[in-house]
Amino acid sequence: NGVFPRAKSLPLDSMVISTEVLEVGPDGIDEQPEEGTYVHGLFMEGARWDTEENTITDSHPKELFPPMPVIHVRGITAEEVDDEGAYQCPVYTTRIRGPTFTFAAPLRTVKPPYTWVLAGVCLVMQSD
């Protein structure tokens, strides 16, 4: 929605999505942040989130849809973007890709982003 850009008198078309993966589960959240929202219940396909290193890493054997920690999603201006070391991870509502695309979540990566592009890594809202 356009609440944040209007509150800051910013043009909506200059806004992009920023994500920060938190170290807490949904039980550790008491209230919503001042800007953006907390999202939980997403699953990663093709890789997993390493909570110790705070980055995308290779998935464990037979681990198809590891759950993601809580993610703080907010809008920032394009000038504030620092996509160095970030993979623009597509987020889908279901495992059926394409028409269920929702947004691209920039996620921290130590490996080059093309590693995750070639692996088909994405986040899904439903693992079944």
Side-chain angles (χ1 to χ4, degrees):
N1 74 33
V3 173
F4 176 74
R6 281 195 302 270
K8 304 276 185 175
S9 299
L10 297 169
L12 191 56
D13 59 357
S14 73
M15 303 300 291
V16 295
I17 291 176
S18 169
T19 59
E20 177 189 1
V21 180
L22 305 180
E23 296 180 14
V24 298
D27 296 338
I29 303 291
D30 294 329
E31 57 187 32
Q32 285 293 327
E34 295 211 6
E35 293 178 5
T37 190
Y38 293 130
V39 176
H40 71 92
L42 297 178
F43 301 90
M44 186 171 279
E45 182 177 9
R48 68 181 174 87
W49 187 258
D50 184 331
T51 52
E52 291 180 11
E53 298 295 323
N54 197 32
T55 186
I56 303 172
T57 193
D58 295 316
S59 54
H60 295 303
K62 299 184 181 182
E63 187 179 47
L64 299 179
F65 298 99
M68 284 291 290
V70 174
I71 303 174
H72 182 195
V73 180
R74 63 187 186 97
I76 61 172
T77 63
E79 293 81 40
E80 295 177 80
V81 172
D82 178 18
D83 56 5
E84 183 73 26
Y87 165 58
Q88 296 295 325
C89 185
V91 179
Y92 299 97
T93 53
T94 68
R95 289 179 45 207
I96 300 169
R97 300 183 183 206
T100 67
F101 175 79
T102 307
F103 67 98
L107 297 178
R108 185 174 180 281
T109 177
V110 176
K111 293 184 178 182
Y114 69 79
T115 306
W116 312 119
V117 173
L118 293 174
V121 173
C122 70
L123 294 177
V124 293
M125 297 179 194
Q126 301 174 31
S127 63
D128 54 2

mmCIF file of all heavy atoms in Angstrom, residues 7-46:
data_model
loop_
_atom_site.group_PDB
_atom_site.id
_atom_site.type_symbol
_atom_site.label_atom_id
_atom_site.label_comp_id
_atom_site.label_asym_id
_atom_site.label_seq_id
_atom_site.Cartn_x
_atom_site.Cartn_y
_atom_site.Cartn_z
ATOM 1 N N ALA A 7 3.069 9.302 3.728
ATOM 2 C CA ALA A 7 3.454 9.908 5.003
ATOM 3 C C ALA A 7 4.759 10.677 4.886
ATOM 4 O O ALA A 7 4.957 11.683 5.560
ATOM 5 C CB ALA A 7 3.573 8.831 6.086
ATOM 6 N N LYS A 8 5.661 10.207 4.028
ATOM 7 C CA LYS A 8 6.961 10.853 3.849
ATOM 8 C C LYS A 8 6.987 11.748 2.620
ATOM 9 O O LYS A 8 8.029 12.264 2.248
ATOM 10 C CB LYS A 8 8.065 9.793 3.719
ATOM 11 C CG LYS A 8 8.145 8.826 4.870
ATOM 12 C CD LYS A 8 8.951 9.385 5.997
ATOM 13 C CE LYS A 8 9.107 8.321 7.070
ATOM 14 N NZ LYS A 8 9.954 8.698 8.137
ATOM 15 N N SER A 9 5.835 11.927 1.954
ATOM 16 C CA SER A 9 5.728 12.723 0.727
ATOM 17 C C SER A 9 6.694 12.246 -0.349
ATOM 18 O O SER A 9 7.390 13.033 -0.986
ATOM 19 C CB SER A 9 5.958 14.209 1.022
ATOM 20 O OG SER A 9 4.995 14.690 1.919
ATOM 21 N N LEU A 10 6.753 10.919 -0.538
ATOM 22 C CA LEU A 10 7.629 10.323 -1.538
ATOM 23 C C LEU A 10 6.788 9.751 -2.678
ATOM 24 O O LEU A 10 5.721 9.197 -2.436
ATOM 25 C CB LEU A 10 8.452 9.187 -0.916
ATOM 26 C CG LEU A 10 9.410 9.582 0.196
ATOM 27 C CD1 LEU A 10 9.956 8.348 0.893
ATOM 28 C CD2 LEU A 10 10.558 10.407 -0.366
ATOM 29 N N PRO A 11 7.265 9.868 -3.922
ATOM 30 C CA PRO A 11 6.522 9.268 -5.029
ATOM 31 C C PRO A 11 6.597 7.745 -4.950
ATOM 32 O O PRO A 11 7.670 7.174 -4.722
ATOM 33 C CB PRO A 11 7.233 9.796 -6.278
ATOM 34 C CG PRO A 11 8.549 10.289 -5.828
ATOM 35 C CD PRO A 11 8.439 10.603 -4.357
ATOM 36 N N LEU A 12 5.464 7.094 -5.124
ATOM 37 C CA LEU A 12 5.387 5.644 -5.009
ATOM 38 C C LEU A 12 6.319 4.941 -5.988
ATOM 39 O O LEU A 12 6.903 3.908 -5.664
ATOM 40 C CB LEU A 12 3.940 5.178 -5.219
ATOM 41 C CG LEU A 12 3.615 3.737 -4.887
ATOM 42 C CD1 LEU A 12 3.999 3.413 -3.445
ATOM 43 C CD2 LEU A 12 2.154 3.459 -5.111
ATOM 44 N N ASP A 13 6.496 5.511 -7.170
ATOM 45 C CA ASP A 13 7.344 4.841 -8.164
ATOM 46 C C ASP A 13 8.831 4.930 -7.838
ATOM 47 O O ASP A 13 9.655 4.324 -8.518
ATOM 48 C CB ASP A 13 7.059 5.344 -9.579
ATOM 49 C CG ASP A 13 7.279 6.832 -9.747
ATOM 50 O OD1 ASP A 13 7.595 7.511 -8.751
ATOM 51 O OD2 ASP A 13 7.136 7.312 -10.884
ATOM 52 N N SER A 14 9.209 5.657 -6.786
ATOM 53 C CA SER A 14 10.620 5.701 -6.380
ATOM 54 C C SER A 14 10.896 4.723 -5.231
ATOM 55 O O SER A 14 11.999 4.672 -4.710
ATOM 56 C CB SER A 14 11.025 7.117 -5.950
ATOM 57 O OG SER A 14 10.451 7.435 -4.694
ATOM 58 N N MET A 15 9.874 3.943 -4.848
ATOM 59 C CA MET A 15 10.009 3.030 -3.716
ATOM 60 C C MET A 15 10.334 1.611 -4.184
ATOM 61 O O MET A 15 9.871 1.172 -5.227
ATOM 62 C CB MET A 15 8.714 2.994 -2.897
ATOM 63 C CG MET A 15 8.260 4.348 -2.382
ATOM 64 S SD MET A 15 9.444 5.147 -1.305
ATOM 65 C CE MET A 15 9.358 4.096 0.111
ATOM 66 N N VAL A 16 11.151 0.915 -3.391
ATOM 67 C CA VAL A 16 11.482 -0.481 -3.637
ATOM 68 C C VAL A 16 11.341 -1.244 -2.323
ATOM 69 O O VAL A 16 11.260 -0.643 -1.244
ATOM 70 C CB VAL A 16 12.909 -0.663 -4.208
ATOM 71 C CG1 VAL A 16 13.019 -0.041 -5.590
ATOM 72 C CG2 VAL A 16 13.938 -0.086 -3.279
ATOM 73 N N ILE A 17 11.333 -2.563 -2.401
ATOM 74 C CA ILE A 17 11.172 -3.391 -1.206
ATOM 75 C C ILE A 17 12.525 -3.688 -0.577
ATOM 76 O O ILE A 17 13.490 -3.996 -1.268
ATOM 77 C CB ILE A 17 10.434 -4.691 -1.553
ATOM 78 C CG1 ILE A 17 8.980 -4.360 -1.897
ATOM 79 C CG2 ILE A 17 10.503 -5.697 -0.414
ATOM 80 C CD1 ILE A 17 8.165 -5.535 -2.350
ATOM 81 N N SER A 18 12.567 -3.592 0.739
ATOM 82 C CA SER A 18 13.746 -3.952 1.517
ATOM 83 C C SER A 18 13.339 -5.047 2.493
ATOM 84 O O SER A 18 12.228 -5.019 3.030
ATOM 85 C CB SER A 18 14.261 -2.728 2.283
ATOM 86 O OG SER A 18 15.241 -3.110 3.223
ATOM 87 N N THR A 19 14.233 -6.028 2.704
ATOM 88 C CA THR A 19 13.930 -7.088 3.653
ATOM 89 C C THR A 19 15.078 -7.265 4.631
ATOM 90 O O THR A 19 16.237 -7.056 4.278
ATOM 91 C CB THR A 19 13.676 -8.443 2.957
ATOM 92 O OG1 THR A 19 14.835 -8.808 2.217
ATOM 93 C CG2 THR A 19 12.474 -8.393 2.042
ATOM 94 N N GLU A 20 14.726 -7.626 5.839
ATOM 95 C CA GLU A 20 15.713 -7.980 6.855
ATOM 96 C C GLU A 20 15.208 -9.236 7.555
ATOM 97 O O GLU A 20 14.128 -9.231 8.141
ATOM 98 C CB GLU A 20 15.874 -6.841 7.866
ATOM 99 C CG GLU A 20 16.825 -7.164 8.992
ATOM 100 C CD GLU A 20 16.823 -6.125 10.099
ATOM 101 O OE1 GLU A 20 16.063 -5.148 10.022
ATOM 102 O OE2 GLU A 20 17.571 -6.332 11.058
ATOM 103 N N VAL A 21 15.988 -10.310 7.458
ATOM 104 C CA VAL A 21 15.606 -11.561 8.115
ATOM 105 C C VAL A 21 16.013 -11.450 9.581
ATOM 106 O O VAL A 21 17.176 -11.172 9.896
ATOM 107 C CB VAL A 21 16.275 -12.774 7.440
ATOM 108 C CG1 VAL A 21 15.870 -14.062 8.146
ATOM 109 C CG2 VAL A 21 15.901 -12.833 5.962
ATOM 110 N N LEU A 22 15.047 -11.623 10.463
ATOM 111 C CA LEU A 22 15.285 -11.460 11.896
ATOM 112 C C LEU A 22 15.741 -12.772 12.528
ATOM 113 O O LEU A 22 15.553 -13.844 11.961
ATOM 114 C CB LEU A 22 14.020 -10.961 12.586
ATOM 115 C CG LEU A 22 13.408 -9.678 12.012
ATOM 116 C CD1 LEU A 22 12.163 -9.282 12.789
ATOM 117 C CD2 LEU A 22 14.416 -8.540 12.014
ATOM 118 N N GLU A 23 16.296 -12.669 13.705
ATOM 119 C CA GLU A 23 16.784 -13.851 14.421
ATOM 120 C C GLU A 23 15.747 -14.420 15.375
ATOM 121 O O GLU A 23 16.063 -15.278 16.182
ATOM 122 C CB GLU A 23 18.064 -13.498 15.190
ATOM 123 C CG GLU A 23 19.221 -13.114 14.300
ATOM 124 C CD GLU A 23 20.476 -12.764 15.072
ATOM 125 O OE1 GLU A 23 20.546 -13.073 16.286
ATOM 126 O OE2 GLU A 23 21.382 -12.184 14.480
ATOM 127 N N VAL A 24 14.513 -13.941 15.283
ATOM 128 C CA VAL A 24 13.460 -14.409 16.188
ATOM 129 C C VAL A 24 12.342 -15.077 15.397
ATOM 130 O O VAL A 24 12.149 -14.802 14.216
ATOM 131 C CB VAL A 24 12.862 -13.248 17.021
ATOM 132 C CG1 VAL A 24 13.919 -12.618 17.898
ATOM 133 C CG2 VAL A 24 12.220 -12.210 16.130
ATOM 134 N N GLY A 25 11.626 -15.944 16.082
ATOM 135 C CA GLY A 25 10.444 -16.556 15.502
ATOM 136 C C GLY A 25 9.238 -15.674 15.759
ATOM 137 O O GLY A 25 9.344 -14.637 16.427
ATOM 138 N N PRO A 26 8.072 -16.062 15.265
ATOM 139 C CA PRO A 26 6.875 -15.242 15.459
ATOM 140 C C PRO A 26 6.515 -15.040 16.931
ATOM 141 O O PRO A 26 5.909 -14.030 17.284
ATOM 142 C CB PRO A 26 5.779 -16.006 14.715
ATOM 143 C CG PRO A 26 6.347 -17.340 14.382
ATOM 144 C CD PRO A 26 7.830 -17.250 14.470
ATOM 145 N N ASP A 27 6.916 -15.974 17.802
ATOM 146 C CA ASP A 27 6.615 -15.821 19.229
ATOM 147 C C ASP A 27 7.426 -14.696 19.859
ATOM 148 O O ASP A 27 7.066 -14.197 20.929
ATOM 149 C CB ASP A 27 6.899 -17.132 19.974
ATOM 150 C CG ASP A 27 5.983 -18.253 19.514
ATOM 151 O OD1 ASP A 27 4.903 -17.959 18.964
ATOM 152 O OD2 ASP A 27 6.352 -19.427 19.695
ATOM 153 N N GLY A 28 8.525 -14.299 19.223
ATOM 154 C CA GLY A 28 9.368 -13.231 19.753
ATOM 155 C C GLY A 28 8.937 -11.847 19.328
ATOM 156 O O GLY A 28 9.585 -10.852 19.658
ATOM 157 N N ILE A 29 7.821 -11.744 18.591
ATOM 158 C CA ILE A 29 7.324 -10.457 18.102
ATOM 159 C C ILE A 29 6.080 -10.077 18.891
ATOM 160 O O ILE A 29 5.117 -10.837 18.948
ATOM 161 C CB ILE A 29 6.978 -10.545 16.590
ATOM 162 C CG1 ILE A 29 8.174 -11.003 15.767
ATOM 163 C CG2 ILE A 29 6.418 -9.220 16.091
ATOM 164 C CD1 ILE A 29 9.309 -10.028 15.667
ATOM 165 N N ASP A 30 6.118 -8.905 19.498
ATOM 166 C CA ASP A 30 4.969 -8.443 20.282
ATOM 167 C C ASP A 30 4.095 -7.446 19.535
ATOM 168 O O ASP A 30 2.898 -7.361 19.771
ATOM 169 C CB ASP A 30 5.442 -7.801 21.594
ATOM 170 C CG ASP A 30 6.091 -8.817 22.518
ATOM 171 O OD1 ASP A 30 5.694 -10.000 22.483
ATOM 172 O OD2 ASP A 30 7.000 -8.432 23.273
ATOM 173 N N GLU A 31 4.705 -6.653 18.655
ATOM 174 C CA GLU A 31 3.947 -5.648 17.917
ATOM 175 C C GLU A 31 4.599 -5.404 16.571
ATOM 176 O O GLU A 31 5.746 -5.778 16.352
ATOM 177 C CB GLU A 31 3.855 -4.343 18.717
ATOM 178 C CG GLU A 31 5.204 -3.759 19.092
ATOM 179 C CD GLU A 31 5.074 -2.564 20.027
ATOM 180 O OE1 GLU A 31 4.138 -2.529 20.830
ATOM 181 O OE2 GLU A 31 5.941 -1.679 19.925
ATOM 182 N N GLN A 32 3.842 -4.781 15.667
ATOM 183 C CA GLN A 32 4.357 -4.478 14.336
ATOM 184 C C GLN A 32 5.373 -3.330 14.413
ATOM 185 O O GLN A 32 5.322 -2.505 15.326
ATOM 186 C CB GLN A 32 3.212 -4.101 13.396
ATOM 187 C CG GLN A 32 2.373 -5.287 12.951
ATOM 188 C CD GLN A 32 3.151 -6.248 12.059
ATOM 189 O OE1 GLN A 32 4.018 -5.874 11.298
ATOM 190 N NE2 GLN A 32 2.823 -7.537 12.189
ATOM 191 N N PRO A 33 6.301 -3.275 13.448
ATOM 192 C CA PRO A 33 7.296 -2.203 13.451
ATOM 193 C C PRO A 33 6.663 -0.864 13.058
ATOM 194 O O PRO A 33 5.539 -0.836 12.548
ATOM 195 C CB PRO A 33 8.304 -2.654 12.388
ATOM 196 C CG PRO A 33 7.489 -3.477 11.442
ATOM 197 C CD PRO A 33 6.468 -4.173 12.303
ATOM 198 N N GLU A 34 7.399 0.218 13.270
ATOM 199 C CA GLU A 34 6.891 1.546 12.897
ATOM 200 C C GLU A 34 6.762 1.675 11.391
ATOM 201 O O GLU A 34 5.851 2.340 10.902
ATOM 202 C CB GLU A 34 7.810 2.635 13.448
ATOM 203 C CG GLU A 34 7.806 2.661 14.960
ATOM 204 C CD GLU A 34 8.021 4.042 15.521
ATOM 205 O OE1 GLU A 34 8.062 5.011 14.753
ATOM 206 O OE2 GLU A 34 8.141 4.136 16.740
ATOM 207 N N GLU A 35 7.682 1.061 10.646
ATOM 208 C CA GLU A 35 7.626 1.085 9.182
ATOM 209 C C GLU A 35 7.604 -0.348 8.681
ATOM 210 O O GLU A 35 8.328 -1.205 9.184
ATOM 211 C CB GLU A 35 8.852 1.792 8.593
ATOM 212 C CG GLU A 35 8.915 3.261 8.896
ATOM 213 C CD GLU A 35 10.171 3.903 8.329
ATOM 214 O OE1 GLU A 35 10.946 3.226 7.615
ATOM 215 O OE2 GLU A 35 10.393 5.080 8.599
ATOM 216 N N GLY A 36 6.765 -0.614 7.689
ATOM 217 C CA GLY A 36 6.716 -1.941 7.093
ATOM 218 C C GLY A 36 5.898 -2.918 7.919
ATOM 219 O O GLY A 36 5.023 -2.533 8.697
ATOM 220 N N THR A 37 6.220 -4.204 7.755
ATOM 221 C CA THR A 37 5.495 -5.251 8.469
ATOM 222 C C THR A 37 6.415 -6.452 8.694
ATOM 223 O O THR A 37 7.422 -6.601 8.005
ATOM 224 C CB THR A 37 4.239 -5.697 7.676
ATOM 225 O OG1 THR A 37 3.439 -6.536 8.504
ATOM 226 C CG2 THR A 37 4.597 -6.422 6.399
ATOM 227 N N TYR A 38 6.056 -7.281 9.659
ATOM 228 C CA TYR A 38 6.770 -8.531 9.883
ATOM 229 C C TYR A 38 6.003 -9.642 9.165
ATOM 230 O O TYR A 38 4.784 -9.717 9.261
ATOM 231 C CB TYR A 38 6.865 -8.868 11.368
ATOM 232 C CG TYR A 38 7.717 -7.921 12.154
ATOM 233 C CD1 TYR A 38 7.259 -7.346 13.330
ATOM 234 C CD2 TYR A 38 9.008 -7.599 11.740
ATOM 235 C CE1 TYR A 38 8.047 -6.480 14.073
ATOM 236 C CE2 TYR A 38 9.806 -6.728 12.470
ATOM 237 C CZ TYR A 38 9.318 -6.176 13.635
ATOM 238 O OH TYR A 38 10.099 -5.320 14.359
ATOM 239 N N VAL A 39 6.729 -10.492 8.460
ATOM 240 C CA VAL A 39 6.120 -11.595 7.712
ATOM 241 C C VAL A 39 6.723 -12.901 8.209
ATOM 242 O O VAL A 39 7.943 -13.005 8.362
ATOM 243 C CB VAL A 39 6.396 -11.436 6.194
ATOM 244 C CG1 VAL A 39 5.853 -12.621 5.420
ATOM 245 C CG2 VAL A 39 5.811 -10.132 5.676
ATOM 246 N N HIS A 40 5.868 -13.879 8.474
ATOM 247 C CA HIS A 40 6.364 -15.213 8.818
ATOM 248 C C HIS A 40 5.491 -16.246 8.123
ATOM 249 O O HIS A 40 4.429 -15.929 7.610
ATOM 250 C CB HIS A 40 6.396 -15.432 10.339
ATOM 251 C CG HIS A 40 5.054 -15.575 10.969
ATOM 252 N ND1 HIS A 40 4.459 -16.793 11.156
ATOM 253 C CD2 HIS A 40 4.176 -14.657 11.424
ATOM 254 C CE1 HIS A 40 3.274 -16.621 11.723
ATOM 255 N NE2 HIS A 40 3.074 -15.330 11.887
ATOM 256 N N GLY A 41 5.977 -17.471 8.097
ATOM 257 C CA GLY A 41 5.234 -18.529 7.432
ATOM 258 C C GLY A 41 5.703 -18.784 6.009
ATOM 259 O O GLY A 41 5.062 -19.533 5.280
ATOM 260 N N LEU A 42 6.823 -18.168 5.585
ATOM 261 C CA LEU A 42 7.365 -18.431 4.258
ATOM 262 C C LEU A 42 8.302 -19.636 4.305
ATOM 263 O O LEU A 42 8.890 -19.932 5.351
ATOM 264 C CB LEU A 42 8.133 -17.213 3.735
ATOM 265 C CG LEU A 42 7.335 -15.933 3.517
ATOM 266 C CD1 LEU A 42 8.250 -14.814 3.049
ATOM 267 C CD2 LEU A 42 6.216 -16.151 2.522
ATOM 268 N N PHE A 43 8.431 -20.306 3.178
ATOM 269 C CA PHE A 43 9.321 -21.454 3.041
ATOM 270 C C PHE A 43 10.277 -21.189 1.893
ATOM 271 O O PHE A 43 9.896 -20.571 0.897
ATOM 272 C CB PHE A 43 8.516 -22.727 2.745
ATOM 273 C CG PHE A 43 7.507 -23.054 3.802
ATOM 274 C CD1 PHE A 43 6.212 -22.547 3.725
ATOM 275 C CD2 PHE A 43 7.846 -23.853 4.879
ATOM 276 C CE1 PHE A 43 5.281 -22.839 4.697
ATOM 277 C CE2 PHE A 43 6.909 -24.152 5.868
ATOM 278 C CZ PHE A 43 5.632 -23.639 5.774
ATOM 279 N N MET A 44 11.519 -21.649 2.021
ATOM 280 C CA MET A 44 12.488 -21.485 0.953
ATOM 281 C C MET A 44 12.560 -22.776 0.143
ATOM 282 O O MET A 44 12.565 -23.867 0.699
ATOM 283 C CB MET A 44 13.869 -21.126 1.505
ATOM 284 C CG MET A 44 14.877 -20.803 0.422
ATOM 285 S SD MET A 44 16.421 -20.122 1.067
ATOM 286 C CE MET A 44 15.950 -18.415 1.307
ATOM 287 N N GLU A 45 12.611 -22.631 -1.162
ATOM 288 C CA GLU A 45 12.751 -23.781 -2.051
ATOM 289 C C GLU A 45 14.092 -23.678 -2.772
ATOM 290 O O GLU A 45 14.434 -22.625 -3.296
ATOM 291 C CB GLU A 45 11.614 -23.815 -3.074
ATOM 292 C CG GLU A 45 11.672 -25.009 -3.995
ATOM 293 C CD GLU A 45 10.488 -25.085 -4.962
ATOM 294 O OE1 GLU A 45 9.696 -24.137 -5.040
ATOM 295 O OE2 GLU A 45 10.386 -26.115 -5.640
ATOM 296 N N GLY A 46 14.880 -24.758 -2.761
ATOM 297 C CA GLY A 46 16.143 -24.786 -3.479
ATOM 298 C C GLY A 46 17.358 -24.419 -2.644
ATOM 299 O O GLY A 46 18.492 -24.517 -3.110
#
